[in-house]
Every structure is written in structure tokens, then in C-alpha cells.
């Protein structure tokens, strides 16, 4: 969550400022863009965000509940932080050793923590990440009750299940969510969050409806008609939804924003040297987002049931889907402007960079754009690609507008811009510099699920940072059509996708389309010898997009389906096997980058422990958290093979996760998840 604006939020019926916010938001962006578009030479800085669920453990009754003490815990943390910061300032403590910061999140049982200062690109800083994450968790624990613990579960298995799942108990429903299953009291009470919840529902015209396929176990009834849905209850007008078909047979039905925004993720933000490098990183990381969603899969259980999918992403997409029936294409357009194919929380639909690797065929998803906004941007000098990006984000309405903040100075504020930007929750976020700061253009990688241990979270954060270095140093090219990235996104959710799914990936990650043009024009392997092409020689340059399209091999030849093991660990051509092919693999690419760097043996060993986790998870030698949790539930003595995650199973799972998080491996539990890796590492 970004900074929280303060004031009186307008209910949806009184929110008449959508165009005002959009127009001023774009003006605010233009001020930022004009001031910073030519800034060069910013250093790589980066940071992660770790989200936690605070659980309250009732050992006597074997219950793990979600503690709703966020406000008290954050207050205590804030007092501690300001005292420590004062000391750090007085004693000139180096930035890397400074106290981490804690932030509120949507759920009143959630916390988010980031390092106190962004990390640099140094290897020392990489090795500091896990220590920093350990420190965050330890500080959080110090400010909790003795029966509370910050677990990093991506989804809480019994959120919204019958009975008690919060501490203290509140009966389900409330005016904001009108949920059958969740009390409004589990929403962060800051005015922004209940308003966001209510306004999404009201803009949509109904409650959100999320249906996850149930995992059909040996004794799960078929068809599965969920007995915990109060089909006949009718307090609010929307309550007819479940009865009228919003809840599907054979599915786990969820009807409130909390089911999605109450999940935990791991996000990484990088600062690029300039706007062009940020655009390039955005494009190169976008095709990786489904790959790392599948690799970090950690959410197999929902509302007290095992689901037949492993990831949270599409639950959040459904949980904040504020599109009206017209926008969803169910009714003809009358009051709305656009039919919009995706939720505000979804995968990216548009590549941003126009470097030599780019081909227009990669942007193959129809992009809904606000033409007036695009024209405003273009008239101000913004290029077509970037103008289209914002003309797309700005098709959305601002969901929460604070009456005190309607009028702003567009030269100094970014509040209206951020209002729309930060409620476009895509797999990648392109983050312009905040006005008046010395912060550069940044990109955020947002698809990953939070992992159970700091070791795993550090491993994924470090690996993504290293990948950005490899992409830039080796000039890697991961482009493929976004429609294929979207197919990968769907498949990444599937149960055990790491083992069973194939994902589209670019075959030749070293070749840009321009270098292909050069080769095809001269018949030689030498890059840059000639830009001319037989078809294009006189009329156009190699940067002419149409010309490129005509001259290059069909786009379908650029990518193929690969297993996760092939993408991450590489593959070799086997003589006599026409289906085999050579692919370098992301881990070997990272390793050869590290080979080219002056690194001492100890640092390299420690980095290798993190990289190994990624490699072994991709090859199936280690399992995902989703697989670990599913197996734990299915092998629990109280499990009845009916897909139900009972309170007792949930409690034992949370206790087990607590132990794993603390680094306690016992009786082989967690061995398939972490292997011997944790034991080898030295912090
Ligand atoms: P949001 O919730 O809007 O994504 P946060 O402030 O919670 O943003 O997290 C942003 C992350 O970016 C943090 O890990 C922070 O350390 C890191 N960060 C801060 N400043 C920079 C910077 N200049 N460049 C890159 N990362 C930064
Ligand atoms: Mg967050
Ligand atoms: Mg944040
Ligand atoms: Mg973030």
C-alpha cells in the first residue's frame, strides 16, 4: 500500500470527480515526466516488501486465529522506530543497518515491512537481505503478545470459514463488504479501506464473486454444493447473488474484497538509471511474472477447503473487480465508455519499451485506451508507447476520493495520479519519481507469493535482482506476445504447475530483432554490418516497425513451450531428438554473470545457496509452499479426505509454519520444501 491519504472519503453515490481526478492526474504525471525524463545516471537501488499475517494461537483449544491488533502493534512499532531512528541519526549508523519500517495493509491482521533504506547493488547488500528480513520478523514479534506470531502464509486457510477465525470474534458481514463470510471488522479501519471495499461493490453493481475449483478428494461430494453458503439469507439486496448463480457448484465461493486483498505477497522494486532502462526492465520482467508466480505458489486452501489451484493472483483479481456489467460485456454499453477485458488487478497488457528488441507483434492484446488522455499526453510530447500505457491505466475510475483533497497543485502533488496508478494492480508497476524527490524511475515486480521462511523470501528477492543485472549486462531479450504471457498466467495457477505445466518462453534470449535483420540482410553472423534488408533497403530504416515486421521470421517461431525446469535450469540439444533444443536457463545465466564478477568464494557460496533453492524448486527436487501445505493437510490424522481444512488441521499447520519460520526443521518436516539448504547457510 502506498501512503495513506487522510480526510473524508466520498461514498460512491457522491463521487463525481472521476474526470477531474483523471485530468489532473495526467497533468501531475506530465509535471513529473517533464522534470525527470532526461535524468540519467541513477544508481540501482532496490527493496522488497514482505507481508505478514499476525496469528493468535490458542494452544488450549487448538485454534489459530487472525489477530486484529494491527493498529496497536503498528503504534508500538512506530514508537520504537522513531526512538531507534533518533539514535541512528545521532550515531551515523550506516543505511544498511538501519531499522526496517512497518506499514499497514488491507487486512486488520496484516503488516507489511520493508528495509529502512533501499539496498544497493552490492553483493554485501544482497547477503544482508535475509538478515534484514529476520530482523523485521524479530522486531515485529517483540511488539506482539506472547501468543501472537507473524506468519508469512499467502492465504489463510480458514479465512471466511464457519465459526471463529478472527481474534476477537465478529459475526460475518457489515455495510462495507456485505459479505456472507467476512466481518467488516477484519478490514483495516482507516477510512480508505472500508470505502475501497464498499465503492468497488457499488461501482460494480453487485458483490464481487470469486469461484475457485474445489480439490476433489476421495470423499468430497460430487457435485460439491457448499453447505456453508447461506443461500437463503437475505439482509442486503446483493445477498440474492449466491442464490442467483454467483456461487458455482464444485467451487469455493468468495464474495468479498478481503479474500483477495487479505493475502500476502512478496514485491520487489528497482530503481533504473533512467526512464528508458526502467521501460526496458518493465518489459523484460513482464514475461517472467507468471513464471515466478508458479515457482512461488503458496496458496492452496481457501475458506476452509482445499482448492484445485495453488496461487492467490486470480482471487485478488476477482476480489477488486469493480467493472460494471456493461464493462464486463454482459450488457450493451450505455452508461459506461468501454468494454474492459481485465480486472484492475491483472497482468500487464502493454509493453513499454521501444528498443531494438521490440516488435509490434508482441503487443498483441487489444488495448483499451482513453483517446482524450492519450492525446493530452501526446500533445505534451510523450511518445506513443508511454502515452498508450497511461491512456490504458486511466480508463479506470478513482475508487476513493477524499473531499479535502479534490483541489491540488498539479505542479507539486501526485495524489490524483497515484489514485489511479496505485489502484491499477498489475503484475508489473512502472513507478515515476515522486515529485520533489531525488528518487528515479522505478519498476516493481509484483506477482510473487510470500514464502513461509525468510530464507525463501530472500532467495526469490535476490534472484530477481540478479536477473535484472543479467538482463542489462547480457542484453537479454525475453520478449514474446503478451497473449502468451497471459496464457502462462492462467496455467501458473494450476495445481503443481511447476511440475506439470509447460510455459511459453522465448527460445533465443540473446538475439534482438534488429540483429536478426542484420544477419538476414548480409547472410553473415556479424552484428551491425549492415542495416539494409532486401525488402527494406531503400524505403525504410531498421527502426521502422512495419518494415521490421515484414522482414523478420514469423513471431510464432520465436517462442516455444518449455517446462519450468528448462526455463530455469536450461536444456541441451540431444542428437537424434528433433524435439530437443538448447536453452541457456535463467539459473545458468545468473551463474555466468556471477562468474564474470569479482566475488570472493564465501560470498559466492552464500549466494549459491539462494540460487540453488530456485534451481531445485524448478526441477521438482524441492516443492512449493502450496505443495507442502496441501500435503500437510492431506496427511493430517484429522483430515477426512473431503477437502475440508478443519480448525485443528489449520492450527497444526500454522504451528508447523511457525516452527519452519524459526528455522526449526524436525522429524523431516519441511525437508521437501527447504531440503538441506537452510542448514548449510550462515547468516
Ligand atoms: P509500494 O507499497 O507503493 O509498492 P513501498 O514503499 O511499500 O511501496 O515499498 C517500496 C520498496 O521500494 C521498499 O522496499 C523500498 O525500500 C524500496 N525503495 C525505496 N526507495 C527506492 C528507490 N529509490 N529505488 C528503488 N527502491 C526503493
Ligand atoms: Mg503491500
Ligand atoms: Mg508497500
Ligand atoms: Mg508494492
Amino acid at each position: 500500500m502506498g501512503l495513506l491519504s487522510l480526510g473524508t472519503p466520498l461514498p460512491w453515490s457522491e463521487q463525481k470527480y472521476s474526470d477531474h481526478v483523471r485530468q489532473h492526474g495526467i497533468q501531475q504525471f506530465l509535471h513529473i515526466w517533464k522534470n525527470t525524463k532526461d535524468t540519467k545516471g541513477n544508481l540501482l537501488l532496490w527493496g522488497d516488501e514482505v507481508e505478514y499475517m499476525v496469528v493468535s494461537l490458542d494452544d488450549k483449544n487448538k485454534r489459530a486465529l487472525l489477530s486484529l491488533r494491527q493498529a496497536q502493534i503498528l503504534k508500538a512499532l512506530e514508537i520504537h522506530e522513531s526512538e531507534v531512528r533518533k539514535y541512528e541519526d545521532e550515531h551515523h549508523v550506516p543505511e544498511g543497518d538501519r531499522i526496517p519500517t512497518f506499514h499497514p495493509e488491507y487486512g486488520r491482521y496484516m503488516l507489511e515491512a520493508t528495509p529502512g533504506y533501499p539496498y544497493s547493488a552490492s553483493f554485501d547488500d544482497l547477503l544482508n537481505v535475509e538478515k534484514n528480513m529476520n530482523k523485521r520478523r524479530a522486531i515485529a514479534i517483540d511488539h506482539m503478545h506472547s501468543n501472537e506470531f507473524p506468519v508469512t502464509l499467502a492465504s489463510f486457510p480458514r479465512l471466511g470459514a464457519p465459526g471463529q477465525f478472527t481474534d476477537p470474534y465478529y459475526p460475518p458481514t457489515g455495510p462495507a463488504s456485505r459479505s456472507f463470510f467476512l466481518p467488516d471488522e477484519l478490514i483495516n479501519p482507516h477510512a480508505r479501506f472500508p470505502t475501497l471495499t464498499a465503492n468497488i461493490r457499488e461501482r460494480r453493481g453487485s458483490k464481487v464473486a470469486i469461484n475457485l475449483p474445489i480439490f476433489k478428494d476421495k470423499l468430497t461430494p460430487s457435485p460439491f454444493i457448499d453447505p456453508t453458503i447461506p443461500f437463503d439469507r437475505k439482509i442486503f439486496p446483493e445477498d440474492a447473488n449466491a442464490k442467483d448463480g454467483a456461487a458455482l457448484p464444485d467451487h469455493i465461493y468468495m464474495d468479498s474484497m478481503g479474500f483477495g486483498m487479505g493475502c500476502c505477497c512478496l514485491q520487489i522494486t528497482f530503481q533504473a538509471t533512467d526512464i528508458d532502462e526502467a521501460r526496458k526492465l518493465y518489459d523484460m520482467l513482464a514475461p517472467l511474472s507468471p513464471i515466478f508466480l508458479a515457482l512461488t505458489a503458496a496458496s492452496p486452501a481457501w475458506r476452509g477447503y482445499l482448492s484445485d489451484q495453488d496461487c492467490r493472483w486470480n482471487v485478488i483479481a476477482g476480489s477488486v473487480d469493480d467493472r460494471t456489467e456493461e464493462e464486463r460485456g454482459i450488457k450493451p454499453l450505455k452508461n459506461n465508455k468501454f468494454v474492459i477485458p481485465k480486472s484492475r488487478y491483472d497482468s500487464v497488457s502493454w509493453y513499454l519499451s521501444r528498443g531494438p528488441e521490440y516488435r509490434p507483434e508482441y503487443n498483441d492484446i487489444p488495448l483499451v485506451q482513453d483517446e482524450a488522455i492519450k492525446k493530452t499526453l501526446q500533445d505534451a510530447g510523450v511518445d506513443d508507447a508511454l502515452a498508450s500505457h497511461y491512456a490504458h491505466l486511466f480508463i479506470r475510475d478513482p475508487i476513493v476520493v477524499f473531499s479535502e483533497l479534490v483541489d491540488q497543485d498539479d505542479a507539486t502533488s501526485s495524489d490524483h495520479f497515484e489514485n489511479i496508478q496505485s489502484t491499477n494492480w498489475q503484475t508489473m508497476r512502472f513507478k515515476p519519481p515522486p515529485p520533489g524527490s531525488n528518487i528515479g524511475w522505478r519498476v516493481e515486480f509484483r506477482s510473487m507469493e510470500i514464502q513461509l521462511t525468510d530464507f525463501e523470501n530472500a532467495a526469490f528477492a535476490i534472484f530477481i535482482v540478479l536477473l535484472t543485472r543479467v538482463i542489462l549486462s547480457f542484453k537479454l531479450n525475453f520478449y514474446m506476445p503478451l497473449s502468451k504471457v497471459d496464457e502462462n498466467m492462467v496455467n501458473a495457477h494450476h495445481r503443481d504447475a511447476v511440475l506439470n505445466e509447460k510455459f511459453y518462453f522465448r527460445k533465443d534470449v540473446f538475439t534482438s530483432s534488429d540483429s536478426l535483420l542484420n544477419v538476414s540482410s548480409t547472410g553473415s553472423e556479424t552484428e551491425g554490418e549492415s542495416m539494409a534488408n532486401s525488402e527494406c533497403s531503400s524505403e525504410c530504416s531498421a527502426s521502422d516497425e512495419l518494415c521490421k515486421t515484414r522482414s523478420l521470421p514469423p513471431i510464432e517461431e520465436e517462442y516455444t513451450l518449455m517446462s519450468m525446469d528448462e526455463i530455469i535450469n536450461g536444456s541441451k540439444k540431444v542428437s537424434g531428438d528433433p524435439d530437443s533444443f538448447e536453452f541457456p536457463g535463467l539459473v545458468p545465466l545468473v551463474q555466468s554473470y556471477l562468474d564474470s564478477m569479482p566475488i570472493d568464494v564465501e560470498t559466492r557460496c552464500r549466494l549459491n545457496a539462494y540460487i540453488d533453492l530456485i534451481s531445485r524448486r524448478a526441477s521438482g527436487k524441492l516443492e512449493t509452499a502450496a505443495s507442502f501445505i496441501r500435503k500437510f493437510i492431506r496427511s493430517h490424522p484429522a483430515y477426512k479426505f473431503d477437502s475440508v481444512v478443519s480448525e485443528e488441521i489449520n492450527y497444526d499447520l500454522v504451528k508447523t509454519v511457525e516452527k519452519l519460520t524459526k528455522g526449526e526443521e524436525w522429524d523431516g518436516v519441511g525437508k521437501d520444501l527447504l531440503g538441506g539448504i537452510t542448514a548449510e547457510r550462515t547468516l
Side-chain angles (χ1 to χ4, degrees):
M1 287 290 158
L3 283 178
L4 298 178
S5 298
L6 288 169
T8 318
L10 294 170
W12 189 246
S13 54
E14 291 170 31
Q15 204 288 79
K16 312 258 184 302
Y17 296 99
S18 291
D19 282 331
H20 174 91
V21 169
R22 271 191 289 267
Q23 276 159 19
H24 287 276
I26 283 298
Q27 291 307 322
Q28 293 173 359
F29 169 75
L30 282 171
H31 277 285
I32 295 171
W33 178 76
K34 281 179 187 153
N35 288 335
T36 56
K37 70 183 164 52
D38 299 319
T39 308
K40 306 260 176 237
N42 278 318
L43 296 175
L44 165 72
L45 292 175
W46 71 278
D48 64 83
E49 296 163 70
V50 170
E51 293 174 344
Y52 308 84
M53 295 182 180
V54 181
V55 287
S56 159
L57 291 157
D58 175 357
D59 292 329
K60 206 165 122 237
N61 296 306
K62 286 196 152 232
R63 276 195 316 194
L65 306 172
L66 292 166
S67 165
L68 302 184
R69 293 199 325 109
Q70 180 192 60
Q72 294 91 317
I73 295 168
L74 277 174
K75 186 79 211 150
L77 284 165
E78 196 183 302
I79 294 167
H80 175 70
E81 188 186 320
S82 69
E83 282 165 4
V84 175
R85 278 209 186 272
K86 207 163 140 224
Y87 172 90
E88 289 172 343
D89 287 343
E90 282 165 11
H91 294 80
H92 307 289
V93 173
E95 287 184 354
D97 297 334
R98 292 201 172 199
I99 185 162
T101 49
F102 289 86
H103 318 265
E105 256 300 336
Y106 179 88
R108 202 166 138 198
Y109 52 85
M110 293 170 78
L111 299 175
E112 180 187 287
T114 57
Y117 279 82
Y119 306 114
S120 75
S122 76
F123 291 112
D124 281 351
D125 271 12
L126 287 187
L127 294 182
N128 211 0
V129 174
E130 188 183 353
K131 240 190 278 181
N132 193 294
M133 288 177 177
N134 282 173
K135 192 165 152 186
R136 287 179 232 172
R137 212 185 286 257
I139 293 172
I141 292 169
D142 277 350
H143 294 85
M144 289 175 187
H145 289 161
S146 60
N147 67 325
E148 288 171 331
F149 188 78
V151 286
T152 37
L153 277 167
S155 70
F156 189 72
R158 284 193 61 84
L159 178 76
Q164 184 174 358
F165 53 88
T166 58
D167 180 14
Y169 171 80
Y170 289 99
T173 212
S177 71
R178 299 186 171 184
S179 172
F180 286 138
F181 314 108
L182 301 183
D184 275 2
E185 284 83 356
L186 70 65
I187 306 170
N188 181 332
H190 182 287
R192 175 182 151 81
F193 299 98
T195 311
L196 202 53
T197 312
N199 287 6
I200 283 176
R201 179 176 49 69
E202 282 176 27
R203 190 185 186 286
R204 179 182 164 91
S206 66
K207 292 201 296 196
V208 294
I210 305 143
N211 283 282
L212 292 191
I214 187 108
F215 173 73
K216 285 275 178 80
D217 217 326
K218 284 179 259 181
L219 300 176
T220 311
S222 202
F224 168 76
I225 308 289
D226 188 348
T228 69
I229 298 175
F231 284 97
D232 291 324
R233 202 165 129 216
K234 192 164 168 65
I235 303 171
F236 299 109
E238 288 89 346
D239 285 354
N241 288 171
K243 204 188 210 168
D244 292 347
L248 303 178
D250 283 333
H251 285 76
I252 306 164
Y253 166 67
M254 291 173 274
D255 66 347
S256 168
M257 181 164 170
F259 285 107
M261 282 296 181
C263 295
C264 294
C265 67
L266 171 67
Q267 297 170 337
I268 320 286
T269 297
F270 317 91
Q271 178 169 278
T273 59
D274 55 32
I275 186 171
D276 288 337
E277 188 184 274
R279 291 170 70 162
K280 175 168 172 118
L281 278 176
Y282 180 96
D283 283 8
M284 292 303 103
L285 292 173
L288 298 182
S289 50
I291 305 300
F292 282 86
L293 176 64
L295 273 174
T296 55
S299 28
W302 301 86
R303 250 194 67 232
Y305 295 111
L306 271 176
S307 78
D308 202 27
Q309 71 170 50
D310 277 354
C311 297
R312 82 201 188 290
W313 187 274
N314 59 9
V315 178
I316 319 185
S319 81
V320 292
D321 191 352
D322 70 335
R323 290 172 302 160
T324 62
E325 288 192 325
E326 292 178 25
E327 287 171 334
R328 280 178 278 144
I330 297 169
K331 280 187 183 161
L333 281 180
K334 194 168 142 221
N335 299 312
N336 294 120
K337 276 209 244 172
F338 312 105
V339 175
I340 306 176
K342 292 182 183 178
S343 162
R344 308 173 74 109
Y345 196 110
D346 220 308
S347 50
V348 304
S349 298
W350 184 248
Y351 285 121
L352 281 185
S353 182
R354 292 297 176 267
E357 305 85 2
Y358 175 74
R359 289 176 67 170
E361 298 97 312
Y362 300 138
N363 268 323
D364 69 338
I365 300 181
L367 194 73
V368 187
Q369 301 179 57
D370 184 318
E371 291 302 329
I373 288 200
K374 187 166 173 186
K375 185 163 182 317
T376 306
L377 290 163
Q378 285 175 318
D379 288 349
V382 177
D383 63 276
D384 183 69
L386 195 58
S388 295
H389 172 73
Y390 287 110
H392 174 59
L393 298 192
F394 275 63
I395 58 174
R396 310 286 176 174
D397 282 344
I399 315 174
V400 182
V401 174
F402 290 93
S403 56
E404 294 84 347
L405 297 177
V406 169
D407 294 315
Q408 293 173 25
D409 177 359
D410 292 342
T412 55
S413 171
S414 63
D415 213 84
H416 287 328
F417 169 73
E418 285 296 338
N419 192 329
I420 309 267
Q421 150 103 346
S422 69
T423 51
N424 267 279
W425 297 278
Q426 300 190 341
T427 41
M428 299 295 305
R429 185 173 285 159
F430 186 62
K431 291 179 166 175
S437 73
N438 58 0
I439 297 174
W441 292 85
R442 292 148 303 148
V443 289
E444 185 181 17
F445 189 70
R446 301 168 46 81
S447 65
M448 292 192 289
E449 308 229 322
I450 201 73
Q451 304 295 284
L452 299 179
T453 65
D454 294 331
F455 171 68
E456 296 159 277
N457 285 312
F460 278 98
I462 291 168
F463 192 73
I464 296 290
V465 178
L466 286 172
L467 265 182
T468 64
R469 300 308 91 192
V470 180
I471 289 166
L472 297 173
S473 322
F474 294 173
K475 298 191 172 36
L476 295 184
N477 177 3
F478 292 150
Y479 273 126
M480 63 178 159
L482 280 173
S483 62
K484 296 293 161 200
V485 179
D486 276 0
E487 278 187 49
N488 286 349
M489 200 68 193
V490 171
N491 292 335
H493 284 80
H494 294 162
R495 182 160 49 84
D496 289 329
V498 170
L499 304 178
N500 303 331
E501 289 298 329
K502 294 231 171 191
F503 297 90
Y504 290 104
F505 212 80
R506 189 179 174 88
K507 288 192 269 190
D508 182 353
V509 295
F510 296 114
T511 313
S512 72
S513 52
D514 269 11
S515 58
L516 269 179
L517 272 179
N518 298 339
V519 173
S520 64
S521 64
T522 60
S524 98
E525 295 286 316
T526 321
E527 270 196 30
E529 223 170 64
S530 161
M531 295 303 276
N533 176 278
S534 53
E535 275 185 67
C536 298
S537 52
S538 55
E539 325 83 272
C540 55
S541 72
S543 60
D544 184 312
E545 291 186 344
L546 266 179
C547 169
K548 253 185 179 177
T549 306
R550 279 207 309 271
S551 321
L552 290 167
I555 206 91
E556 295 74 24
E557 287 178 18
E558 288 191 349
Y559 56 85
T560 189
L561 281 168
M562 299 188 198
S563 67
M564 187 61 86
D565 193 24
E566 285 165 341
I567 294 170
I568 299 292
N569 294 315
S571 64
K572 293 251 176 303
K573 175 115 194 97
V574 181
S575 66
D577 178 359
D579 291 337
S580 67
F581 59 92
E582 175 121 14
F583 183 74
L586 302 184
V587 160
L589 282 167
V590 166
Q591 292 292 14
S592 46
Y593 167 76
L594 292 175
D595 289 344
S596 71
M597 302 299 288
I599 308 180
D600 63 81
V601 175
E602 194 205 328
T603 303
R604 185 66 188 268
C605 269
R606 288 171 60 190
L607 285 176
N608 279 349
Y610 297 115
I611 298 169
D612 260 11
L613 177 85
I614 314 295
S615 167
R616 290 161 74 177
R617 193 171 279 183
S619 67
K621 291 189 184 115
L622 292 178
E623 65 185 347
T624 61
S627 161
F628 169 79
I629 293 169
R630 191 182 295 281
K631 270 181 14 195
F632 183 94
I633 292 169
R634 294 193 70 231
S635 58
H636 193 283
Y639 181 65
K640 299 197 178 81
F641 292 91
D642 55 357
S643 318
V644 175
V645 186
S646 66
E647 283 193 314
E648 183 189 349
I649 300 174
N650 186 58
Y651 168 83
D652 284 336
L653 173 69
V654 171
K655 287 295 269 189
T656 303
V657 168
E658 180 188 1
K659 284 187 181 174
L660 281 178
T661 306
K662 288 178 173 165
E664 298 169 10
E665 249 186 279
W666 75 107
D667 295 341
V669 177
K671 198 163 152 284
D672 294 341
L673 180 72
L674 302 166
I677 296 179
T678 41
E680 287 158 22
R681 78 185 205 265
T682 46
L683 274 178

